[in-house]
Amino acid sequence: MSIALSAPDISRALKRISHEILEANTSSDQIVLLGIPTRGAHLALRIAANMSSLAGHTIPVGMLDITMHRDDLRMRPPRPIMPTSIPDSGIQGRDLVLIDDVLFSGRTIRAGLDALGEIGRPHTVQLAVLIDRGHRELPIRADFVGKNLPTSIAQSVKVHLNEVDGIDEVLIEES
Amino acid sequence: MSPHRYLIKGATMPDGRICDLLIVAGLIQTISAKIEDTDAIVIKANGSVILPGLVDLHTHLRQPGREDAETVLSGSRAGAKGGFTALSAMANTSPVADNAGVVEQVFRLGQQAGLVDVFPIGAVTQGLEGVVLAEIGAMADSLARVRVFSDDGNCVFDPLVMRRGLEYIKKFDGVIAQHAQEPRLTVGSQMNEGEVSAILGLKGWPAIAEEAIIARDVLLVDHVKSRLHICHVTTAGGVEIIRWAKARGINVTAEVTPHHLLLTDDFARSYDPVFKVNPPLRTEKDVMALREGLCDGTIDIVATDHAPHSSESKECEWHEASFGMLALETALSIVQKTMIDSHLMNWTQVANCLSTAPARIAGYGDHGQPLQVGSIANITIVDPHASWSVDRDLSASKSRNTPFHGFELPGVVTYTFFKGVPTLFAGALVENDVS
Amino acid sequence: MRHLLSISDLTKVQALSILDTATELARVSDGAVKKLPTLRGRTIVNLFVEDSTRTRISFEAAAKRLSADVINFSAKGSSLSKGESLKDTALTLQAMGADAVVIRHGASGAPQRLADSDWMRGSVINAGDGTHEHPSQALLDAFTIRKHCVKGGNDLVGVRVAIVGDILHSRVARSNVLLLNLLGASVTLVAPPTLLPVGVESWPVKISYDLDKVIGSVDVVMMLRVQQERMNDLFFPNAREYSRYFGLNADRLRLMSHNSIVMHPGPMNRGLEIAAEVADSARSVIVEQVANGVSVRMAILYVLLAGGPLEAGVK
């Protein structure tokens, strides 16, 4: 087990992502952030706070549960559904940024794109992740990446966040 | 070695003595501490308990009418396997045993099977309908010499019909075996009415429906000075009433089934109709009262109420299923488990309630004789230290509806002698040539 | 969890998880898109041996919103009305590859017979069996009560519920007593003594024969349907007398406490156990119960069918 990112690393990475999102989207008042529970939602809140102070106005943020759209439901025991909350602004015609902790096979994001279909039709959908560990199984890539972390398929990447785990760190575990 | 000489070595008599017994030509010829006989087939009892052959006063053999569920032959096999030498075939066949023709047919089928004596029970009323008396006299005078009459399955509900029946059988010292069930209180009833039925949403069968009829009938039989037998008592209140009646000198006897000595209505929680029986399984309190009643003689006998049913009658919803359980092959084991192993009774008392007393109540003179020189050799040997796992698929009955499937029970019946000839030998059925 | 046969199969955590899941799924019913892909490729059979249009269409809507394939198998005009046994029906459903059977049956315990037998392998969901239980109804009732009567907290601690009417024959009452008790509510059963089962003393409830004494001190009044066939079976003298003592009319409505609600599992006998002006009043949440039924049944299907076997649970 080794520490891939420490708390200051995570904080720096999120700040950089916040800047990049604002730079990539010319009209910041059109941006909506949606985090994927559990940890993606907390990352979204942190990024939104960063962006709001940079932009000088509140960036709308919510969370989007993708459980019902997963394609691997039957491969695991039933899992609880997490809450979904969409900002009052809605997502129709907006520049929407999905936020998750780790980008791996890409299946979670595919489910996220499907889940969005229920809610509305954004102008663009972008993706921000804290870690991209490779091993994609679908044609999906992230627009904003905190850190690229080359891993072997046998390893697992654990993201711990203060809000959930009491500590900020990213670990690589050999299985 | 002669097929008519059997030497049983080292059997434990009901009173605890260990003896050898020599059976010759159908009779017990010698009982002694040590017998040598080079001509006889030797059976090493090794301390197993020897009992007078078991007598069942309440058996459903289903023939004529439902030969898919049981026949006189298959029921006789199950009986022999369970240690029985006499069965009493209940009258609720199709056609009903309410005339000399049917009872003689059943009697003859029993003789042909030749594994046990099958004594037909006659119906009290025509078609078991409770309205008109059946040809009781003709059945009594028939080849089958019927002495026990019962509408079992139905209650002789009309008090006037019951009175007339009780009076009529005095002519030949008969007895009416009453199925005590007040019909209006049990319309559509499915199981004992109480906490469990309330939860399961199955229509309740109140204890009072049984007790009300017992109370009425002990008063009736006292009034007309006849003889009454109460079938399958299941409630603590029923035991109380019979105890009261006996204390008053009323001529009443009573039976309990093995399953009511062991099982409670909790088993209905599975909704498995193998536990659906008439009368229903009751509560723990009732079970304890029944054991106590059997112990103190309030309840005279254990009778099986062996009730075979085809699989489609049980592989269905509880409501749809038929009432009844297999019982012959497990009866002695259940009695050992509930009465001997719990130290409530000794083997002398078991011999009485499963052989001597039922033979006396029904007037089966060849059965229930004491284990002494000169008695007809109707004998059961049970190994009380062995145990067995009940497997419904190994039953000798044609049906499979035992509630004890998978139960580990004490007491293995190893030998049954019917009139000096083994019908069960070392645990295996012997098909006799009745020549 | 493989089957839902009785509320007694559920722990408090499981029951709350179904309610929480239903809360999330209610969004789907409200949104523009009324369909999720979750149970795509799964086959759910609605086996309604006893007719119940309301419950059947509720389960059907729930299954379809989760993209399951639904086969309706009703008594009328089918082999069931021609005396086919439950066993043969189950073998048929197994052969058709049913992943779940939603069963409504007139015989208490029929769903458990299906689940315990080796006749079929799928999940069994009890949609009402005889006079035994109706767990999905109890869950939707608890869901509705939680929405209206609970501020903060996710269980029903402190909520006072009166269930009024034919308790003896009511599967809705049995499931509700178990679930409301599990979730911490206090329950009073109000009925004539003839319509309470022998053995009710052992239930975790209070008993009253007097609706007027109870009605002012509860948060929920749940009325039960009086079945037509009870009318001539000595349970009460006649409909008029029943209605006078145990019916919820406008006078009694005025005795109800502030913010309390009126529930009924339907179908109602207007004018018998519930007056029309009560059924249509602001306190009535009866129509909402129906809407909540779909979300709660979606949650039940999700919990029972969406996951794979537990042993497959390796990441």
Side-chain angles (χ1 to χ4, degrees), chain B residues 176-393:
Chain B
I176 289 186
Q178 174 69 298
H179 173 119
Q181 179 188 352
E182 215 291 336
R184 284 288 287 153
L185 286 173
T186 51
V187 175
S189 291
Q190 297 292 325
M191 67 171 295
N192 178 53
E193 182 168 51
E195 288 183 15
V196 181
S197 67
I199 290 166
L200 296 184
L202 290 173
K203 178 121 197 272
W205 187 311
I208 163 73
E210 178 171 327
E211 293 154 0
I213 296 295
I214 297 176
R216 182 198 77 180
D217 286 355
V218 296
L219 295 174
L220 257 182
V221 76
D222 190 33
H223 182 63
V224 302
K225 300 294 177 237
S226 181
R227 211 146 66 84
L228 171 69
H229 177 74
I230 305 293
C231 294
H232 39 50
V233 178
T234 65
T235 73
V239 175
E240 275 303 302
I241 294 165
I242 295 163
R243 191 175 283 130
W244 171 86
K246 286 192 164 182
R248 297 226 333 181
I250 294 173
N251 199 352
V252 59
T253 54
E255 75 191 31
V256 62
T257 72
H259 42 273
H260 288 110
L261 286 173
L262 181 63
L263 305 176
T264 64
D265 59 354
D266 264 325
F267 282 92
R269 290 179 193 274
S270 66
Y271 286 103
D272 186 341
V274 80
F275 298 107
K276 181 175 174 177
V277 64
N278 176 354
L281 301 175
R282 304 286 187 184
T283 67
E284 187 73 21
K285 173 175 146 275
D286 296 301
V287 166
M288 291 306 152
L290 292 169
R291 292 183 188 181
E292 195 191 327
L294 184 60
C295 213
D296 69 17
T298 301
I299 296 173
D300 301 80
I301 66 168
V302 173
T304 68
D305 197 6
H306 178 80
H309 285 291
S310 61
S311 64
E312 67 269 20
S313 308
K314 288 290 188 182
E315 283 193 323
C316 57
E317 303 87 322
W318 181 282
H319 277 87
E320 299 287 321
S322 304
F323 291 98
M325 302 173 164
L326 295 187
L328 286 170
E329 291 169 66
T330 47
L332 186 55
S333 289
I334 302 293
V335 171
Q336 182 187 331
K337 181 182 173 73
T338 55
M339 306 307 291
I340 296 276
D341 293 358
S342 61
H343 307 292
L344 288 170
M345 282 172 85
N346 56 41
W347 286 106
T348 304
Q349 288 167 292
V350 168
N352 183 57
C353 73
L354 268 168
S355 179
T356 318
R360 187 191 65 239
I361 291 167
Y364 302 156
D366 290 353
H367 293 269
Q369 294 183 356
L371 292 173
Q372 64 188 33
V373 172
S375 287
I376 294 175
N378 289 320
I379 284 172
T380 298
I381 300 177
V382 57
D383 181 352
H385 304 297
S387 67
W388 60 298
S389 180
V390 181
D391 181 347
R392 61 185 165 221
D393 294 324

Side-chain angles (χ1 to χ4, degrees), chain A residues 67-68 74-76 79 118, chain C residues 21 36 38 42 302 308 312:
Chain A
T67 310
M68 304 296 279
R74 292 172 72 166
M75 296 158 74
R76 306 183 192 187
R79 36 179 120 204
E118 280 176 45
Chain C
T21 303
L36 289 168
T38 316
R42 297 282 190 139
Y302 173 76

Side-chain angles (χ1 to χ4, degrees), chain A residues 23-42:
Chain A
E23 284 163 16
N25 294 278
T26 44
S27 30
S28 66
D29 57 345
Q30 289 301 304
I31 299 173
V32 174
L33 307 184
L34 284 183
I36 295 174
T38 311
R39 289 175 184 75
H42 292 291

